């Protein structure tokens, strides 16, 4: 069996062919030994290709030889495979929101990393823990969906009380900017979590759309496990990306792009 593996900072993503279809499975990066056991037990004669920041660590623990490929190139291959030929055009941008965020420009199938940010999925886990004590990802994103950002974030219209603002009053003037209000009305855990996702989404969409404008690309493909069970984050990126006239693209199983790229390299 052919298996592609993307060993990331938070999650190990695998893609393999079974019943003539690509199947997916992921493991927490701390559970690397469970992943190794599964690979050794579940597959007979596996042909493995690994990518990602932890690829060396993983390859060393395997009892079979593994090929390694460059992560950014593997991810580009995976995205092109998932999107299908030609759908993304000659050039596009992809933004990988993993533990951190990485922005890439692709022309004729070749990628160049053009920027990034330490604001990413890891920021959600870290700030969620500090503000609410929660540690479980699914619990965090579920709680956030009940939150009200208006109890935490300052909007433009809050500043321009009664006056017609020069920009949309619904834009965020200051993330977490309602300090005065919050001293009197402590926001709930859900409110804080929604505001954290808002902060992350708005930072990412700002740098991504500026890069898209600079490179004159139409489509921005957003991938990474940070979008899992997290419609709040997706909605922010969709709304703001469209606002500046670019087309947001979310690929089903997009978080497995690196693993698929590794699979295709075997
Ligand atoms: P990396 O390749 O750096 O590991 P990923 O694309 O796998 O990055 O994204 C990791 C992020 O995905 C986490 O920081 C978290 O926000 C989110 N995430 C989604 N599902 C989980 C999960 N089951 N456990 C932990 N984090 C998760």
């Amino acid at each position: 069996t052919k298996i592609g593996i993307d060993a990331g900072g938070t999650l190990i993503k695998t893609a393999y062919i079974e019943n003539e279809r690509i199947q997916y499975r992921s493991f927490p990066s701390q559970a690397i030994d469970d992943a190794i056991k599964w690979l050794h037990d579940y597959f007979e004669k596996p042909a493995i290709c690994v990518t990602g920041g932890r690829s060396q660590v993983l390859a060393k623990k395997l009892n079979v030889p593994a090929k390694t490929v460059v992560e950014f190139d593997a991810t580009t291959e995976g995205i092109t495979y998932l999107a299908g030929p030609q759908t993304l055009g000659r050039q596009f941008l992809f933004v990988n929101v993993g533990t951190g965020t990485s922005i890439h420009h692709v022309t004729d199938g070749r990628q160049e990393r053009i920027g990034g940010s330490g604001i990413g999925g890891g920021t959600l886990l870290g700030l969620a823990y500090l503000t609410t004590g929660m540690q479980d990802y699914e619990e965090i994103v579920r709680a956030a969906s009940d939150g009200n950002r208006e109890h935490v974030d300052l909007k433009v219209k809050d500043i321009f009380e009664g006056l017609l603002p020069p920009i949309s009053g619904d834009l965020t003037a200051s993330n977490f900017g309602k300090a005065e209000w919050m001293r009197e009305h402590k926001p709930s855990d859900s409110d804080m979590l929604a505001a954290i996702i808002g902060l992350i989404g708005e930072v990412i969409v700002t740098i991504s759309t500026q890069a898209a404008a600079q490179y004159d690309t139409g489509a921005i493909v957003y991938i990474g496990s940070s979008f899992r069970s997290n419609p709040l984050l997706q909605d922010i990126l969709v709304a703001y990306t469209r606002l500046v006239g670019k087309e947001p693209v979310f690929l089903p199983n997009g978080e497995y792009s690196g693993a698929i790229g590794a699979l295709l390299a075997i």
Side-chain angles (χ1 to χ4, degrees), residues 6-13 26-30 52-53 71 96-100 120-125 135-138 141 223-230 233 255-256:
D6 175 8
T10 308
L11 297 171
I12 297 168
K13 279 81 61 185
S26 69
F27 298 82
S29 297
Q30 308 107 286
E71 175 179 0
N96 190 352
V97 189
T99 310
T123 313
L124 171 59
L125 292 175
Q135 300 185 31
D136 181 72
Y137 176 78
E138 292 293 334
V141 287
I223 58 162
S225 310
S226 303
F227 298 110
R228 264 195 210 172
S229 324
N230 195 348
L233 187 63
E255 70 266 40
Y256 289 97

Side-chain angles (χ1 to χ4, degrees), residues 160-173:
F160 286 83
E161 245 182 87
L163 274 175
L164 190 67
I167 53 173
S168 167
D170 269 325
L171 289 173
T172 308

